[in-house]
Amino acid sequence: MGWLPRFVLPRTLREQGIVGMNARNARFIAQYNHRRFYPRVDDKLETKRLALDAGLSVPELYGVVRSHHEIRKLERLLRAYPDGFVIKPAHGAAGDGILVITGWRGDRLRRASGRTMEMSELHDHCSNILSGMYSLGGRPDVAMVEQRVRFSSAFDQITYRGVPDIRTVVYRGYPVMAMMRLPTQDSDGKANLHQGAVGTGIDLASGRTIGGVQHNRPIWEHPDTEHSIVGLEIPGWNELMQLASGCYELSKLGYLGVDVVIDQDRGPLILELNARPGLAIQIANGEGLESRLLAVDAHLVGRDGTEPPEQRARWAAGVFARHEATQAAPADAASATPAAQDADSTEIERR
Amino acid sequence: MRRFHLPILIVLLSTIGLGIFAYKVIALDMPVMPGASAETWQVEARVRYQPTGGAANVQLRIPDRLPNFAILDEGFVSRGYGLNTLRGQDDRIAQWTTRQPRGEQVLYYRATLYRDSDDRSDADYPGPVGAPEWTEPYRSAADALIEDVRSRSSDIQTFASVLVNDLAHAAPASNAAVFADDGSDRVQRSQTLIELLATARIPARMVTTLHLRDGRRDIRPETWIEVHNTRRWVPIHPLSGEIEYPDDVVVWAHGSAPLLEVSNGRDAEVRFAVSRGVQDALTTAQRFGETVNAQLMEFSTLNLPLGTQNTYRVLLMVPLGAMIIVFLRNVIGVQTFGTFMPVLIALSFRETQLLAGIILFTLIVSLGLAVRFYLEHLRLLLVPRLAAVVSVVIMLMLGISILSHQLGFERALALSLFPMVILAMTIERMSVVWEEHGPSDAITQGIGSLAVAAAAYGLMANRHLEHLLFVFPELLLVLLAMTLLLGRYTGYRLSELFRFGRMQEAMQPSRRSEDR
């Protein structure tokens, strides 16, 4: 039954305020996202530079590889980081081409999956990045080496391999909706909802999770660890909201997706920005975006958009609060004890 | 104003497009259906005479404006003659002149006619005519006959047909019999009728017609009379009283003057031969357009060189395919590789036909994918890898062609026209999607691309649509208007109704009331 496609009338969706792909493109993206600002989010190096200038937290940048002959000098640079690092393309999309190294084993590198690799393989990976294998349209790219995020242990019990990240949709500077994406065995450690990752809605006021969805079906426990995913508190939530609001100033994009990870030492860090955030966030929250976007529009009437990010984050937290949803665990959801975690399964691997 | 900008543009484009289209269809008779054929008649007048010495001058009366037929094309064939066409009162006169004809002379005039319902003949009322001078006993007989006929008719037309019938079935010793003693010779009877009608002040004239029958080599011209009823000339058969010409009768010349006059010649005769031709209605309309000298025809796709025409037959279908893509992507929500790749794939299906195309495409893409994954092991850079994939794709195509030729599938040979680069790009894209988003996504998008391409092909290969767009390229404006209209569609996609349908059980009670 659950796998059968279920049809719904457009009128129902309209009543629920679900924003469709066409409406998103025509009414929000075309209106508030000017093309000339896209490079600010498409180029992660640029995003990082702008974020540092604005004083927003991002993973630390160790170095940049811009040309093939710089690859040879790479090893000297990387030796300085025994705890590992991340290599990623500046123009990659959706986590493509990201290599996570957790440390060294002699001359070999240990990957997040536990396998080791030769330095030469890492050289190959870099030259693939440089020749544009992961960038849109195959344009030449640069490789960034940055700090490996040690994500907060708050989510150990609801993660299966990979990094849970938090996607917030920021509309004209106001966070309007957020979800946490939890990788599963099904999604092969990727945080992509339609590959089977779990998405949970988040109450913007408390930063607690609402029940989630997997494959568009509501669930209340993580499918792999059987741990409840309702009512979990995300550490540093207020900071995260301010961070997301602040991304509006640096990107100048009115319809923006902000991806944040929680580092156990540094708190929320901006991973990347997205000029075309999808609509799965509505499914994760079980609510349409439309009414929230209209609420922001109404709030901005008569204001010239001079509210600072902190104030915007506070306003959004107040208006879009959904306390009741964070406690309403359904009766049939058995609260299971978390299964013992394999040490390796909590490793970061975003590929 | 901004709100109405787009609607106004859409209405304007559609109106212009449909307006030109309607004009071409209605006024120029351009065929809406492909391969519609018009019946045309080739009429050939063959003039023969024996010269009697000295300069010869041949005058043949030829049609100018015909009721119910149009002249598409005409030609004069002669050797060593100078040719002039003079304009007579209702007809034209072809005048051949030569200085020293020797031996039997043969001249030809050929015309291609086709039926149309326009009456292009001159219909001005010439006014009442003067009564002819009858001598007794004819005068009193004519007066009595006309009185009698007038009492049994209601207007000019019925008067004329009653009169014809009276003469045709004249009882002996009646007034009509006085005039019906010509042994039913059509020319003489026509003369008599015209004189009798003139006595009643009714203008009438003699007309030479040809009865078109296919393959006849020797058609005798037949005489009809036309009576003017103050609005138009009404044709009446002089013996049977039948009104209006049958469909296969064409008026050749007006008046009682002979068709052919030859000076310095003897035994002159003109013979008519008729053959029926079926011409493509398009050519017919086009030539007709040229003869009525429509400016529009000057700027027609039909005047391009043939090779270019065939290219445009294909090219003009691309906007249609593009519109289908817009519809399928934005209204239905089918996932495809890239935006216009399916159109290009559909274009390549034109060479191979649909089923063979889909099979070949699937075959080559899957083989190419396998090769691409093998190349992955060699860790090549992007551009060399693409180049290698292209080479391998071409070798695969060659292999498939040779193999299928050996096995006797000629269909697969058409593959050589398959755009290889498109295949290579498809393979590359598909493999990237495969790696990044897993095989299910890659296969979904692949099948989506193929399905969209098949739909686009189904429309683009439609002969009827191809003909419409080629003959009436102004319909592209209408297509453009429809695309603009689709471009403003911000409603849900069909696929979203299913996508969000599954989450209905997870929906929270709506809180819109508090937000407003």
Side-chain angles (χ1 to χ4, degrees), chain B residues 435-456:
Chain B
E435 279 171 24
E436 304 301 347
H437 303 280
S440 64
D441 270 29
I443 289 167
T444 308
Q445 291 188 21
I447 289 172
S449 299
L450 266 187
V452 171

Side-chain angles (χ1 to χ4, degrees), chain A residues 16 18 21-22 124 322, chain B residues 330 379 492 496 504 508:
Chain A
Q16 291 166 344
I18 301 281
M21 200 68 96
N22 294 331
D124 284 334
R322 276 176 55 182
Chain B
N330 279 8
R379 305 223 191 95
Y492 298 109
E496 284 173 346
Q504 287 305 308
Q508 317 287 338

Side-chain angles (χ1 to χ4, degrees), chain A residues 48 58-63 81 84-88 101 144-150 263-266 269 271:
Chain A
K48 202 180 279 290
V58 287
E60 191 187 336
L61 183 68
Y62 294 158
Y81 303 104
F85 48 86
V86 176
I87 294 185
K88 57 164 79 166
I101 302 294
M144 302 159 57
V145 184
E146 61 177 29
Q147 171 200 354
R148 175 168 71 96
V149 176
R150 313 271 191 99
D263 185 89
Q264 61 185 34
D265 308 320
R266 300 183 54 199
L269 302 177
L271 258 196

Side-chain angles (χ1 to χ4, degrees), chain B residues 383-426:
Chain B
V383 179
R385 193 175 58 223
L386 261 182
V389 170
V390 170
S391 317
V392 170
V393 164
I394 291 179
M395 285 190 283
L396 283 173
M397 282 164 52
L398 182 65
I400 287 175
S401 290
I402 289 173
L403 195 70
S404 61
H405 183 63
Q406 288 298 329
L407 298 176
F409 302 130
E410 292 304 315
R411 267 268 163 259
L413 292 181
L415 194 64
S416 50
L417 295 163
F418 233 90
M420 282 111 3
V421 178
I422 293 172
L423 276 171
M425 294 298 282
T426 309

Side-chain angles (χ1 to χ4, degrees), chain A residues 3 6 10 115 118 128 135 140 142 170 191 199 222 245 256 260 263 268 271 282 348:
Chain A
W3 292 103
R6 206 181 116 182
R115 283 179 297 151
E118 291 285 348
N128 276 343
S135 74
V142 299
V170 179
H222 192 283
S245 306
L256 179 74
V260 169
D263 185 89
L271 258 196
Q282 299 177 107
I348 301 169

Side-chain angles (χ1 to χ4, degrees), chain B residues 185-332:
Chain B
D185 175 83
R186 277 179 79 158
V187 182
Q188 280 200 29
R189 175 64 59 86
S190 305
Q191 289 284 12
T192 314
L193 282 170
I194 289 170
E195 282 174 5
L196 281 171
L197 287 163
T199 312
R201 300 302 181 82
I202 296 170
R205 64 184 181 186
M206 200 187 295
V207 173
T208 309
T209 65
L210 291 177
H211 195 166
L212 300 174
R213 271 164 302 183
D214 187 22
R216 291 289 301 274
R217 301 285 319 144
D218 191 0
I219 290 180
R220 298 199 159 279
E222 294 168 351
T223 308
W224 280 63
I225 57 171
E226 287 185 342
V227 176
H228 207 291
N229 66 357
T230 70
R231 288 186 304 283
R232 65 183 195 98
W233 291 100
V234 182
I236 296 178
H237 193 289
L239 296 182
S240 67
E242 197 184 325
I243 306 257
E244 301 294 352
Y245 297 116
D247 276 353
D248 51 0
V249 165
V250 59
V251 174
W252 192 261
H254 302 80
S256 50
L259 284 179
L260 178 68
E261 289 175 23
V262 180
S263 61
N264 294 336
R266 60 186 168 81
D267 299 344
E269 60 166 7
V270 58
R271 292 279 180 88
F272 289 93
V274 171
S275 68
R276 206 181 80 184
V278 176
Q279 262 190 328
D280 185 19
L282 188 56
T283 344
T284 313
Q286 195 191 351
R287 284 162 137 188
F288 174 57
E290 283 163 5
T291 51
V292 301
N293 200 3
Q295 288 293 310
L296 209 57
M297 302 301 279
E298 299 286 311
F299 297 96
S300 143
T301 44
L302 303 163
N303 289 342
L304 292 169
L306 265 181
T308 319
Q309 277 195 30
N310 290 336
T311 311
Y312 273 104
R313 273 181 186 275
V314 178
L315 271 186
L316 287 174
M317 299 306 283
V318 172
L320 186 72
M323 197 187 85
I324 297 311
I325 303 262
V326 170
F327 177 78
L328 287 173
R329 278 179 64 112
N330 279 8
V331 181
I332 307 295

Side-chain angles (χ1 to χ4, degrees), chain A residues 107-109 116-123:
Chain A
D107 280 344
R108 292 171 72 86
L109 295 150
T116 60
M117 66 191 287
E118 291 285 348
M119 198 68 207
S120 67
E121 288 177 73
L122 189 125
H123 286 183

